[in-house]
Amino acid sequence: MRKKVLFFGDVGIDDTVALIYAFLKDKIDIVGIVADYGNAPRMETTRNVRYILQRMGRVDIKIFGGAERPMTGEVPTFYLEVHGPFGLGPIKPGLEPKELENFFEVISLIEKYKNELIIVNAGRLTSLATLFILYEGRMKNVQSYYIMGGSFLYPGNVTPVAEANFHGDPVAANIVMKYAKNVSIYPLNVTQTAIVTPEMVNYIHSKGKTQLLKPLLDYYYFQFYQKTVPGIQGSPVHDALPLIAIDREDIFTYYRSSVVIDTTDVARGQSIGDFRLIDAPESFDGRPQHRIAINLDYKEFYKEFMTVMTGEQF
């Protein structure tokens, strides 16, 4: 049976790679997409989703308009140097604005797929946190949550200690970490090592299942990472990992801990877990324990990613 997934994303380059993977993976059924601010303004991310769905022949999927700014009330920071002026590197979708599904209609999906729905959050957690604030009881009907975010005892990518999704709205991230259960987290510890090399991109491109990867990764994303991470051999596809994990949890090593997100100035967005091996409390202030991916089997990641993206067995 295909697993029902509601995807939350600030759809930029690596979100797009994640969605392409999901559309090509026969065991995943994307039943809805929530488009949030993050890599670009929400107006651009919703256009990006529509563009991707058109290119992949999946215009049947509903797009929900998510958050436009964080719960902190701040004007969000957009990382255009990473994802380009429209969020898709060199690609300009060129679509006119279109009315979106009411965000709160996602509740109907949660009810329709009761105890079956998986939520994957690959961007800021503002929209997901809003559902816990307004519909905590109904959120218990979600089977599980797969979240890309954080960095645990590992360097951040927007500050020395913070990853972009948790840093962009630490209040929302804290709410989700406190109230969500059955959560698996995919932090920079593993996503930074999920490298797709130019050779991989060229081979995928030659097989023709998608023509989007090469302009997104080789012509833009990889160039950014070469400037910021000297010696890197390719593009880290951060947001693909929680979707890959839905069917391939075996390629990760996990650790269990409650999680707190710092909301103060210097340490804003820092993800805190208890990694002591002895005398560690079971939780922080009654929070549930979450699974934190701390290691990626790159060989198995490579085989899974290439198999799905090319249609060949690796």
Side-chain angles (χ1 to χ4, degrees):
M1 180 181 293
R2 301 176 72 197
K3 297 182 179 181
K4 308 298 183 183
V5 173
L6 175 60
F7 183 86
F8 289 65
D10 52 343
V11 178
I13 291 174
D14 53 333
D15 306 72
T16 301
V17 175
L19 286 171
I20 293 170
Y21 168 87
F23 293 143
L24 296 176
K25 178 77 173 181
D26 58 8
K27 293 184 179 180
I28 294 177
D29 181 14
I30 301 289
V31 298
I33 298 174
V34 178
D36 289 312
Y37 76 96
N39 294 320
R42 191 189 72 174
M43 179 179 70
E44 302 299 347
T45 62
T46 54
R47 284 177 176 169
N48 293 347
V49 174
R50 289 172 54 212
Y51 175 80
I52 296 160
L53 294 184
Q54 287 182 12
R55 289 290 301 267
M56 299 300 294
R58 292 302 312 273
V59 293
D60 57 300
I61 297 175
K62 289 185 177 181
I63 307 170
F64 303 90
E68 293 192 74
R69 63 176 62 226
M71 288 185 169
T72 59
E74 302 163 308
V75 175
T77 299
F78 303 117
Y79 299 95
L80 305 184
E81 71 279 11
V82 184
H83 295 271
F86 305 102
L88 291 181
I91 298 173
K92 182 179 179 180
L95 300 175
E96 293 297 321
K98 185 178 180 181
E99 186 174 352
L100 302 170
E101 297 286 341
N102 185 323
F103 170 66
F104 294 105
E105 288 299 314
V106 300
I107 294 300
S108 65
L109 284 180
I110 293 172
E111 293 175 343
K112 179 179 179 179
Y113 300 110
K114 186 175 182 180
N115 301 323
E116 183 183 359
L117 186 68
I118 296 169
I119 287 180
V120 172
N121 196 301
R124 313 299 186 260
L125 287 96
T126 312
S127 295
L128 185 55
T130 299
L131 293 176
F132 278 100
I133 291 172
L134 296 176
Y135 301 105
E136 183 184 359
R138 294 187 182 183
M139 297 305 285
K140 294 177 182 177
N141 293 327
V142 175
Q143 181 193 106
S144 53
Y145 301 85
Y146 289 72
I147 294 171
M148 188 274 130
S151 54
F152 293 84
L153 307 178
Y154 190 89
N157 58 0
V158 291
T159 75
V161 296
E163 176 275 332
N165 288 339
F166 285 10
H167 183 271
D169 193 345
V171 174
N174 232 348
I175 289 169
V176 174
M177 293 301 111
K178 185 171 183 176
Y179 294 107
K181 296 182 179 179
N182 298 323
V183 173
S184 298
I185 305 169
Y186 301 86
L188 292 179
N189 306 59
V190 291
T191 67
Q192 193 72 16
T193 64
I195 299 295
V196 175
T197 67
E199 293 77 17
M200 294 166 67
V201 172
N202 286 337
Y203 193 78
I204 292 168
H205 187 79
S206 72
K207 294 303 172 180
K209 293 181 78 68
T210 175
Q211 299 298 308
L212 284 173
L213 226 61
K214 192 169 182 64
L216 291 176
L217 297 184
D218 279 8
Y219 299 160
Y220 205 93
Y221 207 48
F222 184 34
Q223 294 181 24
F224 165 78
Y225 270 101
Q226 284 179 306
K227 295 175 184 176
T228 57
V229 186
I232 196 167
Q233 298 300 304
S235 305
V237 289
H238 304 281
D239 294 339
L241 287 195
L243 281 163
I244 290 173
I246 290 174
D247 185 55
R248 290 299 310 274
E249 293 188 342
D250 59 295
I251 71 175
F252 300 93
T253 301
Y254 291 96
Y255 186 88
R256 295 194 69 88
S257 174
S258 298
V259 176
V260 171
I261 312 303
D262 200 309
T263 59
T264 57
D265 291 340
V266 175
R268 171 182 170 136
Q270 182 177 16
S271 42
I272 303 169
D274 195 336
F275 289 84
R276 296 174 292 176
L277 298 179
I278 57 172
D279 298 328
E282 291 188 359
S283 67
F284 304 137
D285 68 11
R287 293 172 181 241
Q289 289 197 334
H290 303 312
R291 292 197 315 171
I292 305 167
I294 57 173
N295 188 56
L296 171 71
D297 184 333
Y298 182 80
K299 182 178 179 181
E300 289 301 316
F301 160 77
Y302 173 87
K303 291 195 293 186
E304 170 67 15
F305 189 80
M306 294 299 288
T307 296
V308 172
M309 301 299 269
T310 67
E312 297 180 352
Q313 188 65 44
F314 276 76

